[in-house]
Amino acid sequence: MPDIDEKLLRAFGELVSVKIGLRPRPGDENILRSAILTRIKSGKSRSPEEYYQLVDSDTEQGQLERHELAAHFTVGETYFFRDRGQFALIRSVILPEIIKRRGEDKTLRIWSAGCATGEEPYSLAMVLDELIPKNSGWEAMILGSDVREDFLAKARGGIFGEWSFRSISKDGRNKYFKKLNERQWELRGHIRKMVTFRAADLAGADYPEGMDLILCRNLLLYYERNFVTAIVNKLSAALGDGGYLITGHGELFSTPVEGLSHKVYPESVVYQKTSGQAQPSMALVAPKTRGEPVFQNFIQIPEPHIISAPVRYVPPAGNEDPAPEPESPQDPFKGLEAALEQGRYQEAAAKAENILRDAPGSVKALCYAARAMANTGDHKTAAAYLERAVAADWNSVEPHYLLANIAEENGDRAKAKEELNKVIYLAPKYIPAYMDMAAIHENENDFDRARKMRLSALAVLKAGPEKALIAPYGNMTAKELINHLEKMLEEGLAV
């Protein structure tokens, strides 16, 4: 069996990143080498060089091989009711709201994307079994998908060992599982029948439609930023109106999410499918009513807490709090802002140009024009507006931050970091700059710097009021962001 030289292995790593969207991490070289040699041994090619050409091709066989390589990078670490906080939220708030909304047609469509060996979708089935009365006429479809066929085969088998039961009480295990021997338990048939499994690669598969709830947790962190954006947009399109997307903690920070509004709970940030063009960037919510716990003696999970409305606070662009701009009935920016918020980008750009005719150095108008053009996909024109804004006032933070965003979207990480460093210099309290910088370092596999950036953000957040609302994360409070960052660091997502 031929070995793979380091230069070719690096080329495979770049190919995996560009073609599959996966982000190789330190230590993945051995995984990649093993995967390549395994595929060659199976007769797919005669040499590593020939196999590289196959994987790089856009043929049907090339797509299949990319799928096979992606499967080798998947970690099957999971267990029933993983992340108790999120499952408490699902059980007490999310699913009851969906069930109430779907009460007339009595159908539920739920998707566990990246389900590994099936513990997550089966956990959802157990929740529904507790929430929905027996023989009530409801039809629930739970789909579990994963890139690895061997994982799905185990999931369909429904037999699990002790390691999968870390978050289930003894009573809960006895209720839903039958003991086979000292080491194995079999899931009871009525729960198994609620879940259907299908092989799918999120980066290339067709998505189902009309989902009420999608769980895609601890999966997006494996993908490059541009692939994450594309996947999230497809997940959004797969949701029906009012449907929910739940990801792992912090996975979508610094990622644009189209058609979804944010809801912040102490246990997690969740995303809900919205209708219409204009939507708030984030909504603070809490359950209006709460019935009795439905998992008595089943799983020990905390109740979600009601969040009181915080005092609005926006971190300053510089070291001092900026004075609010005066408003007037003749304010030319009002119509511009409305057009931008409602997705009328060409109209917004035209209104900004009208303002610039009288005030060519208006940084605010130049930034609005840049945002409008960026949203049409014309990044070159948007960047030109921002360079004019920088020339007019180098100390203004927004042009530098928007230039960083555009550079990230175009894959120019060096430019993005350069602009974010300027933002941090000008506005050391501006949290999004630290978060974006951390995400870039993480994409470059520089986990030590990513961790330092998030620790810097934590230090800034902890020095301010806990109820501060962090722009541009809408109604996410400093305390909530602190909790998310600490959880990310604890789970090693930035290490």
Side-chain angles (χ1 to χ4, degrees):
M1 175 67 65
D3 198 3
I4 307 169
D5 64 48
E6 293 302 317
K7 183 177 180 181
L8 182 57
L9 190 63
R10 286 195 297 272
F12 267 109
E14 293 175 2
L15 186 62
V16 164
S17 175
V18 172
K19 286 277 190 175
I20 307 175
L22 292 174
R23 177 155 46 94
R25 298 185 172 216
D28 282 351
E29 294 86 358
N30 290 334
I31 296 174
L32 180 57
R33 178 183 281 107
S34 174
I36 295 166
L37 294 177
T38 297
R39 297 306 295 165
I40 294 173
K41 187 176 180 180
S42 69
K44 299 303 175 184
S45 295
R46 291 170 293 183
S47 68
E49 291 78 10
E50 183 180 290
Y51 186 64
Y52 179 91
Q53 296 301 323
L54 174 60
V55 175
D56 190 34
S57 72
D58 290 326
T59 64
E60 183 177 344
Q61 188 62 36
Q63 293 175 1
L64 176 61
E65 288 306 313
R66 290 196 289 273
H67 176 90
E68 291 292 336
L69 280 183
H72 283 80
F73 285 87
T74 304
V75 177
E77 165 61 20
T78 187
Y79 48 91
F80 292 105
F81 298 97
R82 184 179 184 183
D83 196 320
R84 293 183 177 188
Q86 284 192 338
F87 265 99
L89 188 65
I90 291 168
R91 181 260 292 172
S92 296
V93 180
I94 303 300
L95 280 177
E97 189 275 323
I98 294 172
I99 290 169
K100 181 178 180 180
R101 177 158 41 87
R102 305 286 284 172
E104 288 189 10
D105 56 25
K106 292 188 174 184
T107 60
L108 289 172
R109 293 170 61 82
I110 299 173
W111 179 19
S112 168
C115 70
T117 48
E119 284 89 335
E120 181 175 271
Y122 284 139
S123 297
L124 292 166
M126 294 178 215
V127 174
L128 287 178
D129 186 69
E130 293 286 336
L131 288 177
I132 298 177
K134 304 293 186 292
N135 302 317
S136 57
W138 279 84
E139 294 183 5
M141 187 283 287
I142 302 175
L143 172 66
S145 70
D146 199 271
V147 71
R148 290 187 57 166
E149 289 282 5
D150 56 333
F151 284 174
L152 297 177
K154 182 177 178 181
R156 294 185 184 103
I159 297 174
F160 299 92
E162 290 290 337
W163 191 245
S164 296
F165 297 111
R166 282 169 278 172
S167 289
I168 296 184
S169 68
K170 184 177 179 180
D171 289 341
R173 182 162 62 177
N174 290 335
K175 179 176 181 180
Y176 287 111
F177 295 84
K178 179 175 66 175
K179 188 173 183 178
L180 296 179
N181 52 52
E182 291 302 317
R183 300 178 61 183
Q184 292 182 312
W185 295 70
E186 183 177 19
L187 188 64
R188 297 193 183 276
H190 72 289
I191 297 297
R192 289 172 62 180
K193 290 178 181 178
M194 292 175 68
V195 183
T196 300
F197 293 98
R198 189 181 76 185
D201 176 4
L202 285 184
D206 293 330
Y207 288 16
E209 298 179 350
M211 294 290 111
D212 297 302
L213 172 63
I214 299 174
L215 269 64
C216 184
R217 305 189 302 164
N218 306 314
L219 185 63
L220 298 175
L221 57 91
Y222 290 103
Y223 287 94
E224 296 284 2
R225 177 184 170 89
N226 60 326
F227 275 78
V228 171
T229 301
I231 288 170
V232 171
N233 288 338
K234 290 174 70 177
L235 290 171
S236 173
L239 290 168
D241 285 344
Y244 288 93
L245 169 65
I246 299 179
T247 68
H249 298 283
E251 284 189 281
L252 292 188
F253 283 137
S254 305
T255 300
V257 240
E258 295 180 3
L260 300 177
S261 63
H262 305 59
K263 293 186 174 183
V264 182
Y265 297 90
E267 293 75 16
S268 186
V269 176
V270 301
Y271 305 86
Q272 187 172 27
K273 180 69 170 286
T274 54
S275 57
Q277 293 289 332
Q279 293 295 336
S281 60
M282 190 173 287
L284 188 71
V285 298
K288 296 179 180 179
T289 60
R290 185 171 291 114
E292 293 301 313
V294 294
F295 279 176
Q296 295 166 346
N297 300 319
F298 176 53
I299 178 172
Q300 288 73 47
I301 49 180
E303 285 287 329
H305 305 291
I306 297 178
I307 309 171
S308 58
V311 178
R312 176 162 292 280
Y313 169 88
V314 178
N319 290 328
E320 301 297 330
D321 289 336
E325 293 193 22
E327 294 185 2
S328 70
Q330 292 77 35
D331 184 355
F333 287 100
K334 282 188 175 180
L336 193 164
E337 291 168 352
L340 193 61
E341 289 173 0
Q342 294 169 17
R344 304 194 309 272
Y345 301 126
Q346 294 291 353
E347 179 185 336
K351 289 180 180 294
E353 275 294 342
N354 287 336
I355 296 172
L356 290 169
R357 288 193 186 96
D358 297 326
S362 170
V363 172
K364 184 176 180 179
L366 288 165
C367 287
Y368 272 127
R371 287 170 56 194
M373 296 311 297
N375 278 309
T376 68
D378 188 349
H379 290 175
K380 184 177 180 179
T381 301
Y385 277 120
L386 294 172
E387 295 294 352
R388 286 172 56 187
V390 169
D393 182 6
W394 190 92
N395 292 315
S396 182
V397 170
E398 187 177 6
H400 294 296
Y401 185 66
L402 293 176
L403 279 169
N405 289 167
I406 289 173
E408 280 190 81
E409 287 300 312
N410 291 333
D412 188 349
R413 293 174 182 165
K415 173 67 172 176
K417 287 190 290 186
E418 177 187 340
E419 295 298 335
L420 289 173
N421 277 324
K422 294 173 185 176
V423 173
I424 292 171
Y425 170 77
L426 293 169
K429 296 180 182 179
Y430 194 60
I431 297 299
Y434 294 102
M435 301 293 288
D436 288 2
M437 189 73 89
I440 292 172
H441 285 312
E442 196 170 56
N443 278 329
E444 294 177 331
N445 296 328
D446 192 343
F447 301 108
D448 183 57
R449 289 189 179 181
R451 181 181 180 84
K452 288 178 180 177
M453 284 291 112
R454 288 179 178 135
L455 287 172
S456 296
L458 272 177
V460 174
L461 289 166
K462 289 181 176 180
E466 288 188 347
K467 292 185 178 181
L469 293 182
I470 307 302
Y473 302 129
N475 284 344
M476 179 176 283
T477 66
K479 179 63 176 175
E480 290 159 354
L481 187 51
I482 287 169
N483 291 340
H484 281 301
L485 283 170
E486 288 180 339
K487 189 153 191 175
M488 290 172 72
L489 293 166
E490 287 171 7
E491 293 179 354
L493 297 182
V495 178

